[in-house]
Amino acid sequence: MNLFNLVWIELLHRKGRLVSGLTAIVLGISVIAAIRSVTVFSERAVAVNLDNLGANIMVLPQGATTDDYYTADIDAPTFPEDYVERIVSSNLQGVDNLSPKLTRRIKVGKDNFVLTGILPANEVASKPLWQTVGLMGAEVKASCAPSNSKNQSLGYKDERLQRKTIDSLGVSDCYIGFIAAQKLSVSEGSDLTIENKKFKVAKVLPETGTVDDGRIFAHLHTVQELLDIDHQLSAIEIMGCCNAISDGLLSKMRNILPDTRITTIGQIVSTQIQTNNMMNKLSFIFLIIILLVGGISIGNYMWANVNERRKEIGTYRMIGFSQSRIYTMLLMKAVILGLIGGVLGYVIGTLAGMILGPQLAGISVQPIFTLFFVCVLLSVIISVAGSLIPAHQASRIEPYSTMQEI
Amino acid sequence: MFLQLKNISKQYHHRNGTAINALSNVSVTIEQGQFATISGPSGSGKSTLLFTMGGLLRPSSGNIIFNGQPLHDANDITLSEFRKNHVGYVMQNYCLVPYLTAEENVMIPLSLLQKDKAKQKETARELLATVGLSDRIEHYPKELSSGQQQRVAIARALSNNPSLILADEPTGNLDPSLAAEILSLLKRLNEEKGITIVMVTHSPEAASYGNIQIQLKDGKMADAHLSLAKEVLV
């Protein structure tokens, strides 16, 4: 017989009360586990969708503006192509993809177009509409979002979530924007002469409603050679992890490329950061509510338990239990309740998330094993915190409380 | 001196602010191995005096000395140690823990003194055998008769090998034959093991078991004398 035996026997003796006490904490922890499981997988799905908004960081030549990049004037400044290698070799966390570009305004026939040189292996065909015309390639590894294979293993079927690079674009091939194709009256397979060089239209891109509709895309090195701007770039579009951007990715990049202008594509980044912040705040709000409700519930149970056991605690005190021993006994009970509640809460919450996640949120939810330890720890903390005052009250019970009226 | 109470007073304060004098300047000295009884009408302060002796209640004033150790101003830890090491309690309502078996109830005080569970079990069984309950060790209090419950309480009171047993109306809930059985058991423990016993009782027959009989009235000593001296006078 030791203190643990006494606590354990008492818990089992009052099974009904044990169930009601545990219910409060199990429900609380289940809700946390379910919400957290769904939130984590939702965040990943949201991260994928946010990444699909495209590049969110732009590296431009010093003194250039984004307008210069989009208008692609003949004398727009450039910077060396090896800047791409500098970023790659720096192993910066949160840089998911680099897309170097050289853009120049050119004349084809009577009309002006923007000719954009892209590196096929690096260019992200992130726009879902581009993929509808079959622009598929190697998978992009993203630090914000799970990999494509991970997405598939999680059951994502949405093609838009499969981010790909264009892995082949011949030196004499070009993709042509929707409006540009209409103006030039060309279709897939047509020949197109640009600056005296003959190109074959490999794809007519679907209408996107962006500047891409008026552009002609060709291999970067072909464009550099054609325009006689060897090894130079107009810009590097970067898909950066929005969390990394929040954590100072831009300033790290500025240290690597001091003679460039590095900016974010504000709308995209702010949407990404706001969405992530909102998700985090929602989780935090739920956590606070559960902590309060769980703590109060378990405190209420312990309070009732102490009142019910006044004579019994008085007996323990009479026999020689000190105040601190009674206090320890009650807190030990709270820890046991917390441990059981945490384990059950995690199992029930995770199962609820796995069942309800796909049905209600359209996402596949898998068990998060690290959440188990969080649930158990949180449950013990809630249980002990809620029991502090009842345990103190119990320790104050006088040893003569067990006796007849005096 | 084994247990000495000097000028003990105890006041209870009612919610309406009035003070009730439960004990007024009570002085008692009990030597080791004596069997003392405390008698008196209801509300005379018998239980208050007993609980004060046992370190369950702190006096409002006065001194309590147990084997040279002052208890009147002791802190909770010292009083808990005193109760744990030196005192066994036998109460009218038995004070058994309802969800523990007879054996487990006896093991509670043992758990405070030794960690070896097997030894605790062995001692508990021996004590239950001493009070004639070898066949009831796995029984819960509700499965035992009143007399059996009181015998479990006595076994528990003996488990810390006490030098003092405080009994508050131990026969109050028992019929006369069971009461006589319990009183005989207490007397036997007093005589054979030399355990000092202080017992509160309403019953003149029970009071007659004591070789010191303390009479209380309105919280004051009405009479205290050795029964031996009384017998000589008669």
Side-chain angles (χ1 to χ4, degrees), chain B residues 85-96:
Chain B
N85 294 317
H86 302 291
V87 191
Y89 299 88
V90 181
M91 298 295 158
Q92 182 179 3
N93 54 2
Y94 324 125
C95 293
L96 298 176

Side-chain angles (χ1 to χ4, degrees), chain A residues 88-141:
Chain A
V88 172
S89 59
S90 67
N91 289 321
L92 279 178
Q93 292 294 310
V95 175
D96 291 343
N97 190 68
L98 300 165
S99 175
K101 286 186 171 68
L102 176 63
T103 58
R104 277 293 180 271
R105 191 166 290 279
I106 51 156
K107 202 155 197 166
V108 181
K110 295 176 190 170
D111 295 310
N112 285 321
F113 298 93
V114 173
L115 176 64
T116 302
I118 57 175
L119 271 184
N122 295 64
E123 187 64 27
V124 178
S126 61
K127 298 175 183 70
L129 286 173
W130 281 38
Q131 294 183 33
T132 60
V133 292
L135 292 175
M136 296 288 178
E139 181 187 340
V140 172
K141 294 266 187 289

